[in-house]
Amino acid sequence: KQWYQRRVHGGIKNTNEKAAILGAIAGVQHVRLMAKHYGVPVVLHSDHCAKKLLPWFDGMLEANEEYFKANGEPLFSSHMLDLSEEFDEENIATCAKYFKRMAAVKLWLEMEIGITGGERMELITVESRLSLSTPSLSRCSMCTRLSHPSHQCSPFAAAFGNVHGVYKAGNVTLSPHLLKGHQEYA
């Protein structure tokens, strides 16, 4: 029992996501090493980083910056910020801030804006329903704010009742007319 407690509880504390950062870096370094020996290209992406995990995101970006200085390319290929629980303006401002930093080391940013359905229905407010159903200036301003001269285009994915994950039947309704409205607005 004492060995178990030392082994499990005596490890790296995850204060400020330190253990998560080291784990992500170790995993990516392992994949890069094996890919090199197999002679295959890899795309290394972190997914769904919520606001409460921004210290993890910051730690991975620091590792990317250090790796880029030494190797001329980022350690990861891309990262995703999932700030869909936040209001659009905060989401866009945070993504714009990170995008500038990421562009400097040739990293792609994937962002999730708006609620994408299903199990998280309790997160949908009147404001977010409106932002999902109407093309908004904030969404178009996002494209402008995330533009960077080093990229030929800026990726943008708009939700229109997206279904991913496990949802109860009938809990999500796809609304392709929303996508059409966003396309016409842009």
Side-chain angles (χ1 to χ4, degrees):
K1 184 177 179 182
Q2 288 177 342
W3 173 86
Y4 173 79
Q5 287 176 335
R6 275 196 316 267
R7 183 86 170 136
V8 174
H9 300 293
I12 299 169
K13 298 212 181 295
N14 202 31
T15 306
N16 293 323
E17 302 296 324
K18 181 179 179 180
I21 294 163
L22 291 173
I25 293 167
V28 168
Q29 288 173 336
H30 174 74
V31 171
R32 282 182 159 279
L33 174 68
M34 298 312 294
K36 180 180 177 182
H37 289 287
Y38 279 97
V40 296
V42 292
V43 174
L44 301 161
H45 175 75
S46 68
D47 212 16
H48 292 278
C49 177
K51 184 177 181 178
K52 67 183 178 184
L53 296 174
L54 286 178
W56 173 60
F57 199 85
D58 290 330
M60 289 187 294
L61 284 183
E62 287 172 18
N64 280 300
E65 290 162 341
E66 289 173 20
Y67 193 89
F68 187 85
K69 282 180 190 173
N71 301 286
E73 65 180 10
L75 183 61
F76 288 80
S77 307
S78 59
H79 295 291
M80 178 193 189
L81 284 173
D82 181 354
L83 303 177
S84 57
E85 295 178 16
E86 312 309 321
F87 286 103
D88 284 359
E89 187 51 42
E90 180 183 354
N91 186 339
I92 293 165
T94 302
C95 288
K97 178 184 93 173
Y98 279 106
F99 186 74
K100 287 178 185 172
R101 187 173 168 193
M102 293 171 71
V105 293
K106 301 179 183 176
L107 272 167
W108 279 92
L109 170 65
E110 177 186 359
M111 68 173 284
E112 186 165 318
I113 187 169
I115 304 299
T116 56
E119 295 294 319
R120 300 185 328 174
M121 291 304 284
E122 72 278 2
L123 299 175
I124 296 181
T125 62
V126 172
E127 292 84 5
S128 63
R129 282 188 192 277
L130 287 172
S131 73
L132 285 173
S133 61
T134 348
S136 68
L137 286 174
S138 65
R139 296 226 179 171
C140 286
S141 76
M142 177 198 61
C143 294
T144 303
R145 288 172 69 181
L146 295 181
S147 299
H148 192 274
S150 67
H151 292 96
Q152 303 228 347
C153 65
S154 296
F156 172 62
F160 61 100
N162 191 18
V163 180
H164 63 284
V166 180
Y167 302 106
K168 296 176 186 171
N171 208 18
V172 175
T173 304
L174 292 178
S175 306
H177 67 280
L178 297 178
L179 177 61
K180 183 175 189 259
H182 283 285
Q183 289 171 329
E184 289 171 353
Y185 189 79

